Amino acid sequence: MSMPTALAPASLPLAAAMAAGIEQQPLPLLLLHGAGAAAHLLLALAIAGRLVFAAGSHRRKEPAAAAARGAGFQWRRLAVRTTWALAASDVFLAAYSLVSWYLDNTGGGGWGLPDAVAGQADAVSRAAAWLLLAAYLQLEYRRRGEERFPAPLRLWWALFLLLSVLAVAVHAAAGLQYKLPVPALSWARDAVSVLAGAVLLVAGFSAERGAVGGSASEEALLNGASETAVENDTVDSSMFTGAGFLSVLTFSWMGTLFAVGHRKTLDLDDVPDLDHGDSVAGLLPSFKANLEALTSDGSGGQKVTAFKLTRALVRTVWWHIAVTAVYALIYSLAIYVGPYLIDSLVRFLNGDERYASKGKLLVVTFIAAKVFECLSQRHWFFRVQQAGIRMRSALVSVVYQKGISLSSSSRQSCSSGEMINIISVDADRVGLFSWYMHEFWLIPFQVSMALFILYSTLGIASVAALGVTVIVMLATVLPMQIQEKFQGNLMDCKDVRMKATSEILRNMRILKLQGWEMKFLSRIIDLRKIEESWLKKYLYTSSVTTFVFWCAPTFVAVVTFGACMLLRIPLDSGKVLSALATFRVLQEPIYGLPDMIAMLIKTKVSLDRIASFLCLEELPLDAVQRLPSGSSDVAIEVSNGCFSWDALAEVPTLKDLNFQARQGMRVAVCGMVGSGKSSLLSCILGEMPKLSGEVKACGTMAYVSQLAWIQSGKIQDNILFGKEMDSEKYDRVLDSCSLKKDLEILPFGDQTVIGERGINLSGGQKQRIQIARALYQDADIYLFDDPFSAVDAHTGSHLFKECLLGALGSKTVVYVTHQIEFLPAADLILVMKGGRIAQAGKYNEILGSGEELMELVGAHQDALTALDVIDFANGGNEAFSSSGPASLCRSLSSAEEKDKQNLKEDVGKVQSGQLVQEEEREKGRVGFWVYWKYLTLAYGGALVPFVLIAQILFQVLQIASNYWMAWASPVSKDAEPPVSMSTLIYVFVALAGASSLCILVRALFLVTAAYKTSTLFFNKMHMSIFRAPMSFFDSTPSGRILNRASADQSEVDTSIAEQMGSVAFSIIQLVGIIVVMSQVAWQVFVVFVPLTVACFWYQRYYIDTARELQRLVGVCKAPIIQHFAESITGSATIRSFGKENQFVSTNSDLMDAFSRPKFYNAAAREWLCFRLDTLSCLTFAFSLIFLISLPTGLIDPAIAGLAVTYGLNLNTLQAFVVWYMCNLENKIISVERILQYINIPKEPPLSMSGDKLPYNWPSEGEIQLHNLHVRYAPQLPFVLKGLTVTFPGAMKIGIVGRTGSGKSTLIQALFRIVDPTIGQILVDSVDICTIGLHDLRSRLSIIPQDPTMFEGTIRSNLDPLGEYNDNQIWEALDNCQLGDEIRRKDLKLDSPVIEDGENWSVGQRQLVCLGRVILKRTKILVLDEATASVDTATDNLIQKTLRENFSEATVITIAHRITSVLDSDMVLLLDNGVAVEHDTPAKLLEDKLSLFSKLVAEYTMRATHT
């Protein structure tokens, strides 16, 4: 192939070469041939090696079966034929080229010029490579019978297409820029290559889609049929998986979903499933395998670091990374075509003879580059979002699995708030980083391309451009390091705040009852203030970097043009416009750098946090030696056991443990509060760190915890706990647990949805559901941690008889109990004291052998002395004389027979609809009022006009500076310049400086408004939440509130102001472009107006679907957080039942439900942008065609060139306007969700401004109920029905009744948790509805049923408001029997209390609650089953303490232990919300038919055998 003579601009060194008579081609042609030859040579070597290896392996292996002729077969055949055709074409062209070259050089000397050699090498290597590839596909690939093409092969085809397109571009540039006549042979090769490359790429990806079904069927051999069925179902229902090439190219596969979304409001059921590869099931195995391969240290341990975690993620989504890299490369090349050719266009418009025939070719090249730019960008963006979704799913799944397997020490070191932040914020951030993953190489590549173009136009002055670009980029290092520090501190503060918020939301009821909610709100506000200080620093630092980077292109232009002036390089309008267009494109890498660095910093912080979490210690699997069912006679054996919750503690929690329980034995565990009873069960479960000894367990286990753990969801699902429904067995379990009557009353029976933590069930109902769950599992070993304490005497008797003695008669049962009456039924009793087994044996054997059990029994007998008032003439003495399990069964049976009346349930909290509704989400367009509220919240919106004015001024000055450069530069080097070079530069510098100042003002105002707005939103939302009535917390899972306080608040803190700014700024820029373009060709409006209308029609059509998809993303996120929080809380129960896999599977389903709307939302956005890009390309094409059609000289070429320079950005900016608007509408949903919670109905005022209550009110403590009717909602039945009772002051009142009779509702009415509907409550003649809530609640005291402690110290738990001195606190501790225990601690009153008080036993927590009321010493005290969690001896001590400290107070006691109310001055017996009996205990007991007598008789019968 003869190489033509090159012509080049005089500014290039090439001119000097030409002057010396040396022929050479421009550098791009040489590079192109060199790169092509190298790439094809590597391919040829790789395939040759593969064929040699395959030949050897075939001698050892039988050939594989032929592939089934599926959809992929047709594509494979097309690919093979295309490869042969291309190989034949390349062989012919290479032969022709070599012959021509040989003939041209015969008689000449040597090999010729380097570029000629490179051209021949390229031709020969192409022919060899494609021949080998065709042979490989024909022989080896077909023999292996595969339908999918290997990923490296598909990547090669993509690269080949890129090289082919690049060759077309270089040849076009050679013809236009260098006036080289490109041979027809080259054009022919280019045409064949582009066509073949496109066909191969389509075939490669379509064959992969066709093979998906086949691969699933192959995997069936390994994974089993059921998994394959699931995979195939997923594949069939994903719109993306089955789409054809054109549909994928244009995103038309989204059409169906848009049609549905336009017709109706989308629900989650309308959103199609994910492709198997995007689901957790498809991702997790490979991610875990990659992570384990990278982190295993050989000894079985794992050391996860942020770097290893990143590598595992990269390996998991490597295909997406590779394919997006190709798209990003095509995009980067395409965006520089315009700036490169702008000089040629100006010369053409100026009538340059050399360019006279190139107009149409220029237009075609401009438009082709735009098409490639649009297509590559759209698919690049879509694929990176898909990769981000995959990364997030993989991380959340791994974190969840880690979370439910953490050891107790790890749980203490990492709070639930921190874990929630990891899955809600950190995993999100890593997913978002996929947008930035190619910036590392793209930014240097794009800068290099820009400098290449600048060098070709401005020569040596481009070195100045390089220098200043590097300086600008380096100048960001320090601010970015500062930003990283601020970001880390901000996240740490957020963790602390979320941890505190989570704890407060869990315990909101006790805070309301005590009147402490505003004190705890102030704690949250204080934590937020620390967070805000870092937020402020972070925002202002980011505003400085924003300023630097908006000004960077202007700064680069000033320095570059200044260098031209100093070096006396002549500037004509073509060069200036080419440089300006290049600077404009250079904005992208310079803008991208700070974003990339900021995101890198955030992502590194998040990866570090995730990695450190994954390094936490897990529960050791070998703590308990688990034997299969039936393999041993011994069910549980502990030998020389020594266990401690704190490995560093001097004294272990449990020591010298030696006992065994044979199969079928009942083992009772008893002892004083804090003696180690619950810890004993924990060591059997393997939950407690083992210091020494051995634990063996034979068979499956079921565990019932002391504090009920109930999942949100249906009652039936809680009982089945993942097992198949067996109706007969299910009915038996409901009978055994006395649940049938409860379910009959509930509006939806066992389909009733339970609120978070069982909020709409009584304590007894929660425990019975827990027991039912354990019974239904049909395990071998049952561990009960005192579940009978939460139920009344009648129910406790029934549960013990039906469950422990009946349904579990043949099972091994270990039960902790404080009820002495349940001890004789045990085959073995373990009496705990100080972490040791003090006594062990049968009841009668150990009763007289030591003082520990005698102490408990003695306390029990003391309690029973109150029953001596009863005359047991009717055979009661037999009950006293009998003993042992048989008599207990008889006595329980008689108790059952004595009372068969219907139990009426309290359904107050359960609405006629479900209590917990689907999360509310707005429907339709986000209202204008949401935007208005956001804009006007800070300073009444006063800063908004200043921000807009600053941006408009910036845009005007930018256009003015570019207009000046275009107008004031000569059209060609021969023309006379309108102004001097120095004037040209000075005016440009002045305009550039003014525009930079505008940007600084804009950035500062925007950040100030953003900071103020986020602060106000936070304070308003939290005030509203803390002032909400208790019914709001009962019906709202805390996950929803936490989601708003973390994710939505984060958006308001850092994103929304920026998004709003982006919308306004891009609209202003778009208007600027249109104004400039219309200066040259007002006719552009003929096309622009209808296309803009089409754009907005598309945007409206799109937003109907996208908005609901974004809302679904928000709604689907809360269940993940809630399920995670629930799983962490109940991890011990989940592990004891062996249900980890079930919960991991549920988490995977929730993750997929979240990923579905997210994935289709990403696709929807690209669907829209593709169509907008197409429309803006039409506008640009029209403008270009119009310009080249005008007669020469009719318009100023420089101004026309300026219009085209701006027009190059039209499609990007038009897409950005709509993109930012849609993004803002999606983001503003966070504001909408926060505003929902700002407008929650509030409780009545905390204090009344009218008459002040006397300081000592209530002085008497008299309570009068007048015709009291209470219900929980207007549509519900009354729970209390016309109560009229007076409780005289300074009396002890006992309130008794079956579970659900209205006892707790009466107490809630007294504290105004729920206000009376009819009637009134008077305390010392003051109607409590006429005074403030805090005025009332601060004068009353309560010890709640669920003992609550907050993270902090013993001091802060006893006195949260800081009202008492140390002496008073110590006195209270001594009174509640905790003084000695606290004195033994090193830190005394400052002894730490961890989250939920988990480092203190339940009994000790109850004693702390007693200490609080002793400190408060109010005139009215309520005990709501306050001694349920303590042993009888401690109960007696508490009763004695209360008698001494509250002798002058009105004490209202709700109790399941009859002895707790027998010494009352008055008893009120409630049944179905009505006061059935109301008198002194003695009078009520005289009437043998009274309900109270029956309750006492029941208790006596089960108790007196001891």
Side-chain angles (χ1 to χ4, degrees):
M1 185 168 72
S2 60
M3 309 314 285
T5 306
L7 294 171
S11 61
L12 287 176
L14 191 56
M18 285 174 60
I22 301 170
E23 289 184 321
Q24 71 175 66
Q25 287 190 333
L27 185 64
L29 276 174
L30 185 61
L31 287 174
L32 181 70
H33 287 313
H40 282 92
L41 190 62
L42 284 171
L43 175 70
L45 289 171
I47 295 169
R50 178 74 184 163
L51 285 168
V52 170
F53 171 77
S57 63
H58 281 312
R59 283 195 288 272
R60 297 188 295 272
K61 290 182 186 175
E62 289 294 316
R69 297 201 171 201
F73 174 78
Q74 303 297 335
W75 291 108
R76 186 171 62 81
R77 189 165 58 183
L78 175 64
V80 172
R81 288 177 178 178
T82 305
T83 309
W84 276 117
L86 185 59
S89 160
D90 277 339
V91 169
F92 169 75
L93 291 170
Y96 181 82
S97 175
L98 278 168
V99 170
S100 302
W101 181 67
Y102 176 75
L103 292 172
D104 287 345
N105 285 284
T106 49
W111 281 88
L113 296 171
D115 43 16
V117 176
Q120 297 311 320
D122 185 18
V124 172
S125 61
R126 280 170 68 103
W130 285 103
L131 265 175
L132 283 168
L133 182 57
Y136 168 74
L137 288 174
Q138 185 72 37
L139 303 171
E140 166 60 16
Y141 194 66
R142 176 175 285 181
R143 184 186 292 122
R144 281 167 44 203
E146 291 183 19
E147 283 196 20
R148 286 181 190 234
F149 290 109
L153 185 59
R154 283 179 280 151
L155 269 178
W156 161 250
W157 285 337
L159 182 64
F160 174 68
L161 180 60
L162 175 63
L163 284 170
S164 304
V165 171
L166 197 57
V168 174
V170 170
H171 286 140
L176 293 166
Q177 181 83 6
Y178 299 103
K179 307 299 171 296
L180 298 174
V182 179
L185 199 69
S186 296
W187 285 120
R189 178 181 286 152
D190 289 346
V192 171
S193 299
V194 170
L195 183 63
V199 170
L200 288 170
L201 200 61
V202 172
F205 285 93
S206 300
E208 182 195 13
R209 295 178 182 289
V212 169
S215 69
S217 60
E218 287 164 27
E219 287 168 14
L221 299 171
L222 300 170
N223 301 339
S226 62
E227 287 185 30
T228 309
V230 172
E231 280 185 28
N232 283 339
D233 179 56
T234 308
V235 165
D236 291 343
S237 50
S238 168
M239 298 194 308
F240 178 56
T241 310
F245 174 73
L246 274 177
S247 181
V248 170
L249 189 72
T250 61
F251 296 94
S252 303
W253 53 274
M254 281 293 296
T256 316
L257 187 60
F258 276 114
V260 175
H262 190 60
R263 198 172 61 248
K264 55 170 277 204
T265 301
L266 279 184
D267 290 314
L268 192 59
D269 294 339
D270 300 317
V271 181
D273 283 342
L274 295 167
D275 175 39
H276 179 66
D278 294 315
S279 67
V280 174
L283 278 170
L284 195 56
S286 63
F287 177 63
K288 285 183 75 175
N290 289 329
L291 190 60
E292 282 164 15
L294 290 166
T295 56
S296 54
D297 54 13
S299 59
Q302 279 194 327
K303 177 63 180 168
V304 183
T305 62
F307 179 63
K308 288 176 180 175
L309 194 59
T310 307
R311 284 179 64 195
L313 285 168
V314 168
R315 285 187 184 184
T316 307
V317 295
W318 74 269
W319 164 247
H320 284 74
I321 293 171
V323 81
T324 49
V326 173
Y327 290 139
L329 186 61
I330 294 171
Y331 170 77
S332 298
L333 291 168
I335 57 172
Y336 280 105
V337 170
Y340 187 68
L341 295 181
I342 200 90
D343 188 20
S344 303
L345 181 69
V346 172
R347 287 167 189 256
F348 167 80
L349 293 172
N350 199 33
D352 191 321
E353 290 174 9
R354 292 171 298 175
Y355 291 87
S357 61
K358 307 294 184 186
K360 288 175 184 171
L361 184 58
L362 275 169
V363 168
V364 169
T365 312
F366 268 117
I367 293 170
K370 272 287 158 212
V371 169
F372 274 101
E373 177 192 331
C374 297
L375 279 172
S376 57
Q377 189 181 34
R378 297 286 59 86
H379 287 276
W380 170 21
F381 283 7
F382 172 61
R383 289 294 186 174
V384 293
Q385 289 176 87
Q386 190 180 18
I389 288 167
R390 289 186 173 198
M391 289 194 279
R392 186 188 189 282
S393 293
L395 285 174
V396 172
S397 302
V398 169
V399 168
Y400 180 85
Q401 290 187 10
K402 184 75 177 184
I404 59 170
S405 57
L406 288 180
S407 67
S408 58
S409 57
S410 298
R411 278 295 316 279
Q412 289 182 24
S413 68
C414 188
S415 71
S416 57
E418 287 173 283
M419 292 189 226
I420 286 168
N421 258 357
I422 285 171
I423 63 162
S424 67
V425 178
D426 293 315
D428 261 4
R429 189 163 285 146
V430 176
L432 278 174
F433 185 72
S434 61
W435 283 100
Y436 300 87
M437 63 190 174
H438 293 303
E439 301 291 313
F440 301 103
W441 63 269
L442 260 186
I443 289 172
F445 178 75
Q446 289 179 341
V447 170
S448 304
M449 290 281 292
L451 292 171
F452 168 74
I453 294 169
L454 288 173
Y455 183 72
S456 70
T457 52
L458 302 178
I460 198 71
S462 60
V463 175
L466 172 64
V468 76
T469 304
V470 171
I471 289 167
V472 167
M473 289 179 166
L474 289 177
T476 60
V477 173
L478 183 62
M480 288 303 171
Q481 285 175 339
I482 296 170
Q483 231 175 319
E484 177 180 17
K485 178 187 161 196
F486 292 162
Q487 175 69 24
N489 290 333
L490 184 64
M491 290 305 297
D492 291 342
C493 293
K494 191 186 287 286
D495 277 347
V496 174
R497 172 173 64 81
M498 288 309 298
K499 182 178 177 182
T501 307
S502 177
E503 185 177 48
I504 286 167
L505 292 175
R506 281 199 302 276
N507 301 306
M508 187 55 83
R509 183 175 297 277
I510 184 68
L511 296 183
K512 294 272 186 195
L513 289 168
Q514 300 281 11
W516 289 343
E517 69 267 40
M518 299 321 286
K519 174 69 179 177
F520 278 76
L521 172 60
S522 69
R523 283 190 191 177
I524 296 293
I525 298 293
D526 289 344
L527 289 172
R528 171 67 180 177
K529 279 180 181 166
I530 299 168
E531 186 184 337
E532 279 171 4
S533 69
W534 292 113
L535 175 66
K536 192 172 190 175
K537 290 171 184 170
Y538 176 78
L539 288 174
Y540 278 99
T541 312
S542 66
S543 74
V544 172
T545 51
T546 303
F547 163 69
V548 170
F549 285 99
W550 270 82
C551 299
T554 312
F555 184 48
V556 173
V558 166
V559 172
T560 309
F561 290 142
C564 289
M565 183 176 78
L566 293 172
L567 296 169
R568 303 191 182 283
I569 295 171
L571 289 175
D572 58 48
S573 54
K575 289 180 184 178
V576 166
L577 290 172
S578 180
L580 287 174
T582 307
F583 295 143
R584 188 178 291 279
V585 180
L586 193 59
Q587 278 184 324
E588 193 169 318
I590 293 183
Y591 284 176
L593 187 69
D595 282 350
M596 187 268 286
I597 295 174
M599 197 63 199
L600 182 65
I601 290 162
K602 291 179 186 177
T603 308
K604 185 181 179 301
V605 170
S606 291
L607 283 167
D608 283 335
R609 285 154 53 87
I610 295 170
S612 61
F613 177 75
L614 293 177
C615 286
L616 290 176
E617 182 192 25
E618 292 187 19
L619 207 64
L621 298 175
D622 58 352
V624 178
Q625 189 181 337
R626 301 190 186 275
L627 307 172
S629 300
S631 60
S632 169
D633 290 339
V634 179
I636 303 168
E637 182 173 12
V638 181
S639 313
N640 304 315
C642 186
F643 305 85
S644 180
W645 290 115
D646 181 3
L648 302 175
E650 291 180 16
V651 181
T653 313
L654 297 176
K655 47 196 174 291
D656 307 331
L657 287 193
N658 287 285
F659 75 93
Q660 64 171 225
R662 296 193 162 275
Q663 296 287 357
M665 275 179 74
R666 279 190 295 277
V667 181
V669 183
C670 60
M672 303 285 274
V673 169
S675 58
K677 303 182 294 297
S678 297
S679 296
L680 179 68
L681 295 191
S682 294
C683 80
I684 296 170
L685 287 167
E687 293 289 323
M688 193 174 183
K690 180 173 71 175
L691 303 179
S692 62
E694 192 176 41
V695 183
K696 290 181 185 173
C698 178
T700 56
M701 283 193 188
Y703 169 61
V704 180
S705 55
Q706 187 170 11
L707 294 175
W709 177 72
I710 302 289
Q711 279 181 277
S712 304
K714 295 175 185 171
I715 290 174
Q716 185 188 83
D717 295 339
N718 266 281
I719 294 171
L720 296 182
F721 209 47
K723 284 205 126 184
E724 290 294 315
M725 167 60 93
D726 176 342
S727 302
E728 196 178 320
K729 178 179 170 185
Y730 184 73
D731 281 346
R732 280 201 311 273
V733 167
L734 293 183
D735 275 335
S736 300
C737 298
S738 303
L739 277 170
K740 282 209 161 172
K741 292 168 188 169
D742 299 69
L743 297 181
E744 284 166 14
I745 303 295
L746 291 170
F748 294 89
D750 64 0
Q751 298 302 303
T752 299
V753 174
I754 301 173
E756 195 174 17
R757 303 185 311 282
I759 199 88
N760 48 333
L761 299 173
S762 71
Q765 287 168 328
K766 284 190 273 191
Q767 277 295 10
R768 283 180 284 140
I769 287 172
Q770 266 212 127
I771 296 169
R773 176 172 67 205
L775 257 60
Y776 194 82
Q777 296 305 304
D778 200 24
D780 300 315
I781 300 169
Y782 283 81
L783 305 178
F784 287 86
D785 194 354
D786 196 22
F788 310 112
S789 60
V791 296
D792 57 54
H794 167 82
T795 312
S797 306
H798 177 93
L799 287 173
F800 192 78
K801 173 192 161 193
E802 293 296 328
C803 298
L804 263 74
L805 305 181
L808 304 179
S810 61
K811 306 283 187 181
T812 309
V813 183
V814 180
Y815 60 99
V816 171
T817 185
H818 290 132
Q819 278 94 326
I820 298 299
E821 56 272 22
F822 293 151
L823 294 180
D827 301 313
L828 172 66
I829 299 171
L830 304 176
V831 185
M832 301 295 295
K833 186 170 187 180
R836 283 191 170 87
I837 298 175
Q839 289 179 279
K842 283 184 172 287
Y843 183 76
N844 291 330
E845 292 169 8
I846 63 170
L847 190 56
S849 66
E851 60 183 34
E852 286 81 7
L853 183 61
M854 281 305 296
E855 196 177 328
L856 295 169
V857 174
H860 182 64
Q861 295 290 9
D862 292 344
L864 288 175
T865 54
L867 296 170
D868 291 344
V869 292
I870 306 170
D871 177 21
F872 285 99
N874 303 332
N877 293 321
E878 282 90 340
F880 273 108
S881 61
S882 60
S883 64
S887 99
L888 176 63
C889 291
R890 285 198 302 277
S891 65
L892 292 178
S893 299
S894 63
E896 289 283 306
E897 293 302 318
K898 286 188 79 172
D899 188 6
K900 285 289 184 187
Q901 64 177 331
N902 287 333
L903 174 68
K904 296 291 184 185
E905 274 300 339
D906 166 14
V907 292
K909 293 181 202 165
V910 184
Q911 301 173 7
S912 55
Q914 297 284 21
L915 175 78
V916 180
Q917 303 291 344
E918 288 290 316
E919 180 167 3
E920 178 190 345
R921 67 181 171 108
E922 303 288 342
K923 304 216 169 166
R925 290 187 64 177
V926 177
F928 174 73
W929 68 274
V930 177
Y931 296 93
W932 185 251
K933 190 82 179 171
Y934 182 85
L935 287 169
T936 57
L937 192 63
Y939 311 110
L943 294 181
V944 176
F946 290 106
V947 173
L948 292 175
I949 290 166
Q951 178 65 27
I952 291 167
L953 280 173
F954 166 75
Q955 192 62 33
V956 169
L957 291 166
Q958 277 277 305
I959 292 170
S961 63
N962 292 347
Y963 202 93
W964 166 257
M965 288 300 286
W967 175 81
S969 303
V971 176
S972 65
K973 59 185 176 185
D974 304 324
E976 185 67 30
V979 295
S980 69
M981 185 77 157
S982 55
T983 308
L984 176 77
I985 300 300
Y986 292 149
V987 172
F988 181 69
V989 170
L991 290 169
S995 69
S996 300
L997 188 64
C998 291
I999 284 297
L1000 181 61
V1001 170
R1002 187 206 82 185
L1004 291 173
F1005 277 157
L1006 188 67
V1007 166
T1008 305
Y1011 171 73
K1012 183 68 174 175
T1013 305
S1014 73
T1015 305
L1016 289 171
F1017 267 126
F1018 182 90
N1019 293 342
K1020 282 174 179 282
M1021 177 173 73
H1022 280 72
M1023 174 58 82
S1024 181
I1025 289 169
F1026 276 69
R1027 290 285 292 114
M1030 201 58 224
S1031 57
F1032 168 75
F1033 298 97
D1034 289 348
S1035 60
T1036 307
S1038 63
R1040 292 183 194 169
I1041 303 173
L1042 291 172
N1043 206 5
R1044 282 166 173 82
S1046 62
D1048 290 325
Q1049 185 64 44
S1050 282
E1051 293 286 5
V1052 173
D1053 283 349
T1054 56
S1055 292
I1056 289 174
E1058 189 185 330
Q1059 286 294 331
M1060 276 201 170
S1062 297
V1063 169
F1065 306 155
S1066 56
I1067 288 173
I1068 291 166
Q1069 283 179 295
L1070 184 63
V1071 170
I1073 287 180
I1074 295 304
V1075 168
V1076 171
M1077 288 180 74
S1078 62
Q1079 289 293 304
V1080 178
W1082 60 264
Q1083 292 84 350
V1084 81
F1085 278 111
V1086 175
V1087 176
F1088 179 73
V1089 172
L1091 290 184
T1092 303
V1093 170
C1095 279
F1096 281 98
W1097 180 85
Y1098 270 126
Q1099 196 254 353
R1100 293 319 322 159
Y1101 184 71
Y1102 155 84
I1103 203 69
D1104 291 336
T1105 301
R1107 185 195 309 113
E1108 300 311 321
L1109 285 171
Q1110 183 61 29
R1111 283 179 173 145
L1112 285 170
V1113 169
V1115 168
C1116 291
K1117 191 170 186 178
I1120 298 171
I1121 296 172
Q1122 187 185 335
H1123 180 252
F1124 186 71
E1126 275 185 353
S1127 304
I1128 297 301
T1129 310
S1131 55
T1133 304
I1134 294 166
R1135 289 193 290 257
S1136 66
F1137 283 92
K1139 296 286 183 183
E1140 295 96 326
N1141 288 345
Q1142 177 190 319
F1143 275 76
V1144 166
S1145 174
T1146 303
N1147 181 65
S1148 300
D1149 292 342
L1150 290 171
M1151 273 308 305
D1152 287 346
F1154 172 75
S1155 297
R1156 271 162 55 204
K1158 208 168 178 62
F1159 172 81
Y1160 287 100
N1161 197 21
R1165 192 178 291 166
E1166 299 313 321
W1167 175 94
L1168 173 70
C1169 288
F1170 174 79
R1171 279 144 185 79
L1172 298 181
D1173 283 352
T1174 306
L1175 294 173
S1176 59
C1177 280
L1178 286 173
T1179 310
F1180 183 58
F1182 176 82
S1183 308
L1184 282 175
I1185 293 165
F1186 180 76
L1187 283 176
I1188 67 161
S1189 306
L1190 289 173
T1192 306
L1194 191 64
I1195 53 168
D1196 184 344
I1199 304 305
L1202 181 67
V1204 175
T1205 306
Y1206 272 91
L1208 287 170
N1209 271 22
L1210 182 64
N1211 68 307
T1212 311
L1213 212 51
Q1214 204 166 356
F1216 272 168
V1217 168
V1218 179
W1219 171 287
Y1220 286 140
M1221 285 172 74
C1222 297
N1223 221 10
L1224 175 61
E1225 186 151 7
N1226 290 342
K1227 295 269 188 193
I1228 203 78
I1229 289 167
S1230 289
V1231 174
E1232 183 182 60
R1233 285 156 56 82
I1234 287 173
L1235 285 171
Q1236 275 179 355
Y1237 276 23
I1238 287 176
N1239 299 316
I1240 306 166
K1242 290 181 170 48
E1243 279 188 310
L1246 297 177
S1247 57
M1248 294 289 190
S1249 55
D1251 298 333
K1252 292 286 182 187
L1253 284 168
Y1255 177 75
N1256 63 344
W1257 180 89
S1259 54
E1260 301 298 323
E1262 182 187 61
I1263 301 170
Q1264 295 169 286
L1265 313 179
H1266 291 307
N1267 190 28
L1268 186 65
H1269 288 73
V1270 175
R1271 61 181 169 197
Y1272 284 94
Q1275 74 274 19
L1276 295 179
F1278 285 107
V1279 182
L1280 295 180
K1281 304 166 184 175
L1283 281 189
T1284 302
V1285 182
T1286 299
F1287 300 148
M1291 283 211 175
K1292 309 288 174 283
I1293 290 99
I1295 300 179
V1296 291
R1298 303 276 187 223
T1299 300
S1301 57
K1303 305 186 295 290
S1304 292
T1305 303
L1306 175 57
I1307 299 307
Q1308 291 193 63
L1310 179 61
F1311 280 83
R1312 289 187 67 194
I1313 296 295
V1314 54
D1315 275 337
T1317 311
I1318 305 171
Q1320 54 185 179
I1321 302 175
L1322 304 179
V1323 175
D1324 280 6
S1325 304
V1326 174
D1327 184 347
I1328 63 170
C1329 290
T1330 63
I1331 60 174
L1333 293 181
H1334 274 191
D1335 296 336
L1336 170 69
R1337 292 168 184 170
S1338 62
R1339 315 290 178 98
L1340 309 178
S1341 293
I1342 184 167
I1343 304 180
Q1345 183 174 2
D1346 294 327
T1348 304
M1349 287 175 80
F1350 301 92
E1351 186 169 9
T1353 63
I1354 288 293
R1355 178 190 275 105
S1356 68
N1357 267 278
L1358 283 164
D1359 179 25
L1361 307 183
E1363 297 173 331
Y1364 305 98
N1365 61 39
D1366 282 10
N1367 291 334
Q1368 291 170 303
I1369 294 173
W1370 278 117
E1371 186 186 342
L1373 284 170
D1374 288 331
N1375 278 327
C1376 68
Q1377 314 302 319
L1378 269 177
D1380 293 341
E1381 178 72 26
I1382 305 297
R1383 284 188 183 91
R1384 280 199 291 273
K1385 305 274 184 187
D1386 294 338
L1387 297 173
K1388 306 293 191 287
L1389 290 179
D1390 293 318
S1391 297
V1393 177
I1394 65 168
E1395 197 173 4
D1396 291 333
E1398 285 186 0
N1399 55 339
W1400 298 81
S1401 76
V1402 178
Q1404 287 168 327
R1405 287 180 238 170
Q1406 197 66 280
L1407 294 176
V1408 170
C1409 295
L1410 174 65
R1412 287 178 191 149
V1413 301
I1414 292 172
L1415 265 181
K1416 208 171 173 186
R1417 290 187 191 276
T1418 55
K1419 200 67 180 171
I1420 296 173
L1421 170 64
V1422 177
L1423 308 175
D1424 187 359
E1425 296 167 13
T1427 55
S1429 302
V1430 297
D1431 57 87
T1432 314
T1434 310
D1435 186 11
N1436 291 348
L1437 280 171
I1438 290 172
Q1439 298 299 338
K1440 181 168 174 259
T1441 305
L1442 290 173
R1443 280 194 290 273
E1444 289 170 1
N1445 286 279
F1446 292 91
S1447 55
E1448 300 298 316
T1450 306
V1451 180
I1452 300 172
T1453 306
I1454 296 176
H1456 290 147
R1457 285 187 184 149
I1458 295 299
T1459 50
S1460 300
V1461 296
L1462 278 176
D1463 66 343
S1464 303
D1465 300 315
M1466 185 180 289
V1467 170
L1468 171 66
L1469 194 144
L1470 292 177
D1471 188 39
N1472 197 23
V1474 177
V1476 183
E1477 295 169 4
H1478 177 224
D1479 214 328
T1480 61
K1483 284 193 178 173
L1484 290 174
L1485 289 170
E1486 284 172 10
D1487 179 4
K1488 296 290 183 286
L1489 297 176
S1490 73
L1491 290 173
F1492 186 65
S1493 292
K1494 290 180 182 180
L1495 279 173
V1496 172
E1498 233 171 70
Y1499 184 81
T1500 309
M1501 281 187 215
R1502 85 171 192 188
T1504 48
H1505 70 276
T1506 56

